[in-house]
Amino acid sequence: MKIPRKSTKQKTLLLSVLIVSSALLAATAAVHRTVAWENGGGGTIPQTPATFSNYEVAGNPFQGGSVGVTCPNNAMTCQNTEAEPAIRADRSGNFYGSSENVFCVIGGDCGGTWAYKSTDGGSHFTTLPLPDSISSGNLPPGCTDKCTSLGFSPAGGDTDLAVAPKKNLNGFYNIYVASLATTPPLANIYVSTSKNGGASWFLNPTGATVPVDDREWAAADGANKVCISYHGYGTTNNIFVDCSLDGGTTFTTLANAFDLGHVAFFAGYNNVIGNLAIDPHNHFIYQVFSSINNDPGELLSCNISCHVHTVWISVSIDGGVTFTGYKVYNNPDTTVDYGHQFINVSVDNAGNVYVVYDDNHNMFYSFSTNFGRSFSGPFQVNKTPSNTAIFPWSAAGNAGQLDIVWYGTSFYDGRPPDNYPSTAAWYVYFAQNLNALTPNSPFTQVAASGIIHYGGVCEAGVTCSGNRDLLDDLGVAASPTTGKAAIIYTSDQYLNTAAEPATRRTSGSYVCTAALTNTVDCSHTDIAIQTGGSTVNQKPYHFEVDDEDFEEMDLKSDGGHQPHNELDIANTGNIAINQFDVAINGLPWTIAWSSSFPVQPGQTATSSTTNVPLGLVLAVGSIYPVTITAKLADGTTETRTINALYSLGPGIGL
């Protein structure tokens, strides 16, 4: 985050930049089909505390040899000067990380955004070519050894990362790295795309349609769709979402995340942005943020820069053409502020939505089983010794299985973290709940790192007057193949070990020394990889719904209906399944299966039908409960209920 939320500007609602959502909706009648998912998954899955190993990745802008370096190693070449990192995993279990050069953010000496890849589940990361640096022939004037053959980068701030959920035509998952422009500052958002596993990048310097941007986020869908969200700082801090259907080459869909019913409350520098997420199964887009409650009296009394005591989520079910805002949690104490770097949203494999947020003291989460329309919570996550918990990030796995990370310390006395004493020791904390859809279910909590910082942690972006060594966020991802977590985070501690060496300049002198520990000169990016404990890929049921498409194919709006349903169910147990019985809204649903029965363990049954039960009243946008009962070969049965949202069928280009 480069520009603070608070401003002395008067509140002016520039409705001309609301992107005329209603006109776009009228022009795009077709909405992509919706996948419904099971909302079970809570209750009794046992969980054991995780264990982690830690090491530093390579990304030294003072030395040109970091690209291609694999870490950890014993050569002391795993040195970097990066912070505020992001991490994601692809469907094959590879991890990708990115991080921004702190000397670009704080010192003005840019080497751009760095990127890393692990092909062995996080045990090692190799530094990739820099996503958004231009050639070494374009070095800035007065460049010293701070700017090596890596070249000058016009971008590098507030990096975020996205990985496509489907492979491209060449058999790779597209990787997207988004960064704020640094030359000139905040002019636009750079989106770099790799279509070959990170070996090379294509750079689009104009990812944002609305200029003057801050704190961008990225999320991917299909093989070639990527969306970015950002604050349009020059337009009263609206949150805009731009989407590309061609792998980031062009961004053709633009929408305001604030719907017309709420924009007056959210705009006017009256919101704090959170991240962007896309459910790859149903293609719903989720944007979280904090603001005030939708109370006209509160808006009138505070004018601008109110306390953002209400957590919101904007949901798009039409591929990013329009958004509708829903309330996650409103704290009646209007002096509370949420969004402390940053509110975070994640979606599990069953389509359940989790929002994580903190109040500068405790960490909370809320969950939704109906596509973000309503939420349960808040439920506290952290416990002693993390008496302070800030900078949340989450990764969801199978239904009800959730990992959350944050920066935490045992110190708390009511003051903001920026003013904490030098004795306050900060760690990376990891909490896991495999029954997160059960209210008040417990988390296991461990420190996933050693001490990463002492003292105050400023959260005011470039307006910070205190210590900003940790910058503004960290990240966690869970491997789809093993379920193990990989955490990417910042430390400003001098260790100078084989796993975490101190950074040197080209001349051999140190950037980070023992005397400079706990300063920005020692800020660097580390990895914590899970080595033991329970994971978020537990399969406690005999079957899982992999796909449920329930859509309206009649786009004539003449009152007629042409329903279409597809259903894929995987046998995740160890017993054959002889039959599936399905009901919708309590009515038996006759479905023909293209797969033969019995369905053996590991196999999937598929179906497609254009019929619905007599008496079922269809309405686009309505949610219907679908009950599935499996009859197992041993004579037992298992029943699960999912939610299906009836939507207009296909039209978003996937």
Side-chain angles (χ1 to χ4, degrees), residues 118-285:
S118 172
T119 59
D120 59 4
S123 295
H124 300 84
F125 272 85
T126 300
T127 302
L128 300 173
L130 277 67
D132 53 21
S133 288
I134 57 180
S135 70
S136 59
N138 287 314
L139 297 179
C143 182
T144 65
D145 66 346
K146 297 178 182 180
C147 307
T148 66
S149 58
L150 294 171
F152 168 67
S153 172
D158 283 359
T159 177
D160 196 24
L161 181 75
V163 177
K166 292 185 177 180
K167 291 182 178 180
N168 59 32
L169 293 178
N170 295 321
F172 291 93
Y173 297 98
N174 284 358
I175 312 159
Y176 307 97
V177 173
S179 300
L180 291 180
T182 56
T183 307
L186 308 181
N188 213 297
I189 294 171
Y190 284 64
V191 178
S192 299
T193 303
S194 176
K195 297 185 177 182
N196 54 12
S200 62
W201 301 88
F202 164 80
L203 177 62
N204 180 348
T206 57
T209 305
V210 180
V212 189
D213 314 306
D214 190 23
R215 191 53 265 188
E216 88 297 337
W217 303 99
D221 195 10
N224 291 293
K225 181 174 182 177
V226 60
C227 298
I228 59 172
S229 67
Y230 52 93
H231 261 151
Y233 192 72
T235 60
T236 72
N237 241 24
N238 289 281
I239 296 175
F240 294 104
V241 179
D242 286 12
C243 294
S244 168
L245 298 179
D246 56 11
T249 302
T250 59
F251 284 81
T252 55
T253 302
L254 170 63
N256 194 334
F258 301 157
D259 60 48
L260 292 178
H262 292 103
V263 65
F265 299 93
F266 301 154
Y269 306 92
N270 233 7
N271 67 86
V272 174
I273 194 172
N275 73 307
L276 182 75
I278 302 179
D279 186 334
H281 308 294
N282 58 26
H283 315 295
F284 289 176
I285 304 175

Side-chain angles (χ1 to χ4, degrees), residues 207 300 310 583:
L300 182 63
T310 306

Side-chain angles (χ1 to χ4, degrees), residues 258-603:
F258 301 157
D259 60 48
L260 292 178
H262 292 103
V263 65
F265 299 93
F266 301 154
Y269 306 92
N270 233 7
N271 67 86
V272 174
I273 194 172
N275 73 307
L276 182 75
I278 302 179
D279 186 334
H281 308 294
N282 58 26
H283 315 295
F284 289 176
I285 304 175
Y286 298 99
Q287 175 65 57
V288 287
F289 57 95
S290 58
S291 186
I292 63 172
N293 194 21
N294 51 338
D295 178 0
E298 184 177 356
L299 178 63
L300 182 63
S301 65
C302 73
N303 192 19
I304 63 172
S305 299
C306 312
H307 287 288
V308 287
H309 62 98
T310 306
V311 179
W312 293 86
I313 188 167
S314 285
V315 183
S316 176
I317 64 172
D318 57 12
V321 176
T322 60
F323 284 81
T324 302
Y326 300 99
K327 198 178 302 182
V328 176
Y329 173 64
N330 172 50
N331 193 323
D333 182 354
T334 59
T335 66
V336 170
D337 284 296
Y338 296 117
H340 297 290
Q341 301 347 46
F342 295 88
I343 294 172
N344 180 260
V345 61
S346 59
V347 186
D348 69 22
N349 294 332
N352 303 298
V353 182
Y354 305 90
V355 178
V356 188
Y357 45 100
D358 74 90
D359 59 5
N360 254 351
H361 177 200
N362 291 316
M363 190 76 60
F364 305 92
Y365 85 102
S366 297
F367 67 85
S368 172
T369 60
N370 60 2
F371 314 109
R373 294 190 175 184
S374 62
F375 282 82
S376 299
F379 306 106
Q380 186 170 327
V381 178
N382 65 301
K383 58 186 177 182
T384 301
S386 181
N387 298 323
T388 298
I390 59 174
F391 292 18
W393 198 271
S394 64
N398 287 338
Q401 302 176 30
L402 181 66
D403 291 340
I404 299 175
V405 297
W406 66 89
Y407 291 150
T409 176
S410 61
F411 183 85
Y412 180 75
D413 68 352
R415 72 179 96 173
D418 190 25
N419 298 322
Y420 277 17
S422 60
T423 54
W426 294 84
Y427 300 80
V428 175
Y429 278 93
F430 172 88
Q432 184 180 83
N433 190 339
L434 301 184
N435 309 289
L437 298 177
T438 299
N440 298 308
S441 51
F443 282 82
T444 58
Q445 175 183 296
V446 299
S449 73
I451 296 173
I452 60 168
H453 176 68
Y454 286 97
V457 176
C458 185
E459 301 168 288
V462 294
T463 66
C464 280
S465 59
N467 189 290
R468 202 184 169 217
D469 293 359
L470 302 183
L471 289 186
D472 296 327
D473 69 336
L474 71 162
V476 62
S479 168
T481 57
T482 68
K484 290 184 177 180
I487 307 170
I488 193 166
Y489 64 95
T490 302
S491 171
D492 66 1
Q493 300 298 291
Y494 171 86
L495 296 181
N496 205 27
T497 62
E500 205 165 345
T503 303
R504 293 177 180 265
R505 294 186 186 274
T506 305
S507 62
S509 63
Y510 279 100
V511 175
C512 174
T513 66
L516 294 174
T517 191
N518 217 64
T519 71
V520 69
D521 296 276
C522 287
S523 289
H524 59 274
T525 295
D526 285 345
I527 296 291
I529 186 69
Q530 186 177 356
T531 56
S534 54
T535 63
V536 293
N537 67 343
Q538 306 302 308
K539 300 182 183 296
Y541 303 104
H542 288 94
F543 69 91
E544 290 181 353
V545 179
D546 285 340
D547 202 5
E548 169 64 37
D549 297 344
F550 188 36
E551 58 191 28
E552 173 66 79
M553 302 302 294
D554 184 355
L555 305 179
K556 294 180 292 186
S557 301
D558 59 0
H561 289 292
Q562 185 183 344
H564 176 78
N565 179 73
E566 294 181 8
L567 188 64
D568 296 343
I569 306 178
N571 185 338
T572 54
N574 54 11
I575 301 172
I577 298 176
N578 291 336
Q579 182 177 327
F580 287 114
D581 293 326
V582 182
I584 182 170
N585 229 33
L587 301 172
W589 199 355
T590 301
I591 292 178
W593 299 90
S594 60
S595 308
S596 60
F597 285 85
V599 180
Q600 300 297 328
Q603 294 182 341

